[in-house]
Amino acid sequence: MKIVFFGAGNMASAIFTGMIEKGIVKADDIYITSKTNRVAAMEFKESLGVNVSYDDAELCADADYIVLASKPQNFKDVAKRIRPYLEEKTKLISVMAGIQILTIQEELGKGNSVARIMPNTNAMVQYSVNGIAFSDGFDNKDELIDLMASFGKNVVVGEDGMDNITAATGSGPAFLYYIYEQYAKSLEELGFSKEDAEQLTRNLVIGTGKTLSERPESFEKLRTDITSKAGTTEAGLNTLSEFKLREMITDTLGSARDRSKKLSER
Ligand SMILES: NC(=O)C1=CN([C@@H]2O[C@H](COP(=O)(O)OP(=O)(O)OC[C@H]3O[C@@H](n4cnc5c(N)ncnc54)[C@H](O)[C@@H]3O)[C@@H](O)[C@H]2O)C=CC1
Ligand SMILES: O=C(O)[C@@H]1CCC=N1
């Protein structure tokens, strides 16, 4: 199998690292190319054994999948590189937020099968959430679904579901990391050193994540099991509940969703 990544940045590297580390593809099956970070691309060659090339004819020749992993605003430039060499058998996999399947097919002009996927950088530890939407006539979907299952949990949605999944789980990790940053800064306010505050927060998040991965209880049950009557947690939650946290998160997700819709405009 030959999988070619046009783009070797944060998202592409999380995906191919996850695929290789899971053993679903061999490093030699992966070809990467980029534009702005050639040094990083060479570092992936050294560290993972992937192929690096800037010869578009070589890259596209006999490719089973081409992964479009540039920023949306660079897609037209990427399309210019691919269009002359794109073979009929090659399936296009786009991770570009907001770029519609029709836009990709029109830009590349050859009617190739296209799948839009919305992963996240948890792919690097094989725990992404992958929204997937297929173009009409995309055959052998299971092969791609199995490929993607190597680095995350798949959610097959219609293309109209991609804006929401982009906000919820594509951008989602950044929203949680922002909350963790603020939590660590609050620990410094309590008097912990910056280093201790960050390590305590990191271990707290890993611990709750590990609990969620190994225990079936709901978020609410896990929370109430901590909340002793008239205790410290109850006092803290009473203060927390005075803030409009859910509205804040809803507005945050709405802005990300709306940006995805804006990027979809043709
Ligand atoms: N970073 C994330 O967590 C996620 C990103 N995405 C999507 O992934 C795409 C890439 O995002 P990032 O990896 O964060 O960006 P990035 O800036 O880290 O990587 C972009 C890559 O595209 C390359 N590139 C730009 N123009 C090119 C060209 N003409 N030919 C070949 N390569 C070219 C750059 O050299 C770079 O390697 C975006 O469309 C984004 O919407 C999707 C889900 C999550
Ligand atoms: O911020 C972005 O546009 C990309 C898509 C989802 C996560 N990162």
Side-chain angles (χ1 to χ4, degrees), residues 225-242:
D225 284 352
I226 301 163
T227 310
S228 310
K229 188 79 184 121
T232 60
T233 311
E234 184 180 282
L237 287 171
N238 286 343
T239 299
L240 185 58
S241 61
E242 289 166 10

Side-chain angles (χ1 to χ4, degrees), residues 28-192:
D28 200 41
D29 294 337
I30 303 277
Y31 289 72
I32 68 175
T33 189
S34 68
K35 181 172 183 179
T36 52
N37 58 344
R38 290 192 173 209
V39 172
M42 287 312 292
E43 284 167 359
F44 289 127
K45 177 181 174 61
E46 294 307 313
S47 60
L48 294 171
V50 296
N51 302 287
V52 177
S53 172
Y54 293 88
D55 176 336
D56 297 332
E58 175 194 33
L59 285 163
C60 295
D62 200 31
D64 295 286
Y65 294 100
I66 290 179
V67 182
L68 305 172
S70 70
K71 285 190 169 63
Q73 53 267 39
N74 300 128
F75 171 51
K76 285 189 185 295
D77 292 340
V78 172
K80 280 198 193 94
R81 292 185 54 182
I82 295 170
R83 197 180 300 122
Y85 310 107
L86 183 61
E87 297 178 4
E88 189 179 338
K89 74 165 213 178
T90 302
K91 294 179 176 174
L92 297 158
I93 311 303
S94 171
V95 301
M96 299 181 293
I99 304 297
Q100 291 186 33
I101 288 171
L102 182 58
T103 302
I104 294 166
Q105 289 179 319
E106 284 178 350
E107 198 62 40
L108 290 167
K110 294 188 176 175
N112 290 63
S113 290
V114 178
R116 275 182 70 181
I117 66 171
M118 183 36 65
N120 62 35
T121 48
N122 293 336
M124 67 180 104
V125 291
Q126 294 93 44
Y127 223 101
S128 174
V129 173
N130 301 318
I132 313 173
F134 293 100
S135 63
D136 296 339
F138 191 110
D139 64 352
N140 196 5
K141 292 177 182 173
D142 287 346
E143 181 181 69
L144 178 63
I145 287 172
D146 290 345
L147 266 180
M148 292 179 54
S150 73
F151 58 85
K153 304 294 180 198
N154 294 328
V155 182
V156 181
V157 295
E159 189 161 20
D160 57 3
M162 290 301 276
D163 295 324
N164 275 350
I165 203 98
T166 298
T169 55
S171 298
F175 304 143
L176 295 181
Y177 290 134
Y178 179 74
I179 290 168
Y180 306 157
E181 287 172 60
Q182 304 318 312
Y183 198 93
K185 288 186 170 67
S186 299
L187 294 192
E188 288 185 66
E189 297 282 321
L190 281 183
F192 290 102

